[in-house]
Amino acid sequence: NIHSHSLNWTSLPPDNPRLPSLPCGCYGQAMVKIVEGREDGAGHSFAIAISRFNKPVSDGLLEGALHTLARSGVRDEDITVYWVPGAFELPMACRWLAETSRFEGVIALGAVIRGETHHYEHICHQATRGILDAGAATDVPIALGVLTCETAELARTRSAPGPDNKG
């Protein structure tokens, strides 16, 4: 969906660094194109790579993702769920799933909860960066649904049924 909106930049001073460069160096009316994805997933296939570590939280994220996909018209038979040991394994699983050409999108789900060591920072960084790299390398969209929480309570809240579920 492409929408055009008229924005009036005259209310911003000309030396404002946030002011976009407009054609002809003029200020005034500009037409901005806004591109939005459709929420219709009917006829598309998806893979979900999900971490077994922190399984109660992952289970909640999975329920949230399945609910969202169903609400978008994706049929159950067009969704395949792959469990991996932990968040560190998600990037490799996502890349492999994307490279199979069987799926039009991949969803990465899991939770990393801060503990008493620096392990949290390493896993969070490698998981998120690896998932980003997998999507860039394959040109298959990969949705990041990996929670990085300070406490188990925060992770449970973000994976509980309802509108705050991040799955």
Side-chain angles (χ1 to χ4, degrees):
N1 299 339
I2 298 178
H3 307 285
S4 293
H5 296 282
S6 177
L7 298 178
N8 186 348
W9 297 104
T10 56
S11 60
L12 296 174
D15 59 345
N16 188 315
R18 295 183 311 146
L19 192 64
S21 59
L22 299 173
C24 306
C26 61
Y27 301 102
Q29 296 292 319
M31 294 302 288
V32 176
K33 291 181 184 162
I34 299 174
V35 179
E36 297 175 313
R38 292 181 300 134
E39 292 186 19
D40 179 15
H44 299 286
S45 59
F46 295 89
I48 299 175
I50 183 167
S51 167
R52 192 173 281 117
F53 201 80
N54 294 315
K55 192 166 185 318
V57 173
S58 292
D59 286 340
L61 293 171
L62 179 59
E63 287 300 317
L66 293 174
H67 175 76
T68 300
L69 289 168
R71 197 177 64 226
S72 298
V74 180
R75 299 176 308 164
D76 288 347
E77 55 267 23
D78 292 330
I79 304 168
T80 307
V81 177
Y82 291 85
W83 288 89
V84 299
F88 191 75
E89 290 77 21
L90 284 171
M92 185 169 286
C94 288
R95 183 164 183 157
W96 179 81
L97 291 166
E99 287 176 342
T100 67
S101 300
R102 292 179 45 214
F103 307 104
E104 293 159 275
V106 178
I107 301 165
L109 298 176
V112 183
I113 301 169
R114 184 178 295 280
E116 297 176 2
T117 68
H118 295 287
H119 185 71
Y120 170 86
E121 284 88 2
H122 298 292
I123 297 299
C124 290
H125 176 76
Q126 294 303 320
T128 55
R129 183 58 196 218
I131 292 166
L132 172 69
D133 290 347
T138 61
D139 288 332
V140 173
I142 301 177
L144 178 62
V146 179
L147 300 178
T148 55
C149 297
E150 293 291 322
T151 66
E153 181 181 341
L154 288 172
R156 283 191 297 273
T157 299
R158 287 166 174 77
S159 63
D164 292 332
N165 186 298
K166 305 302 180 201

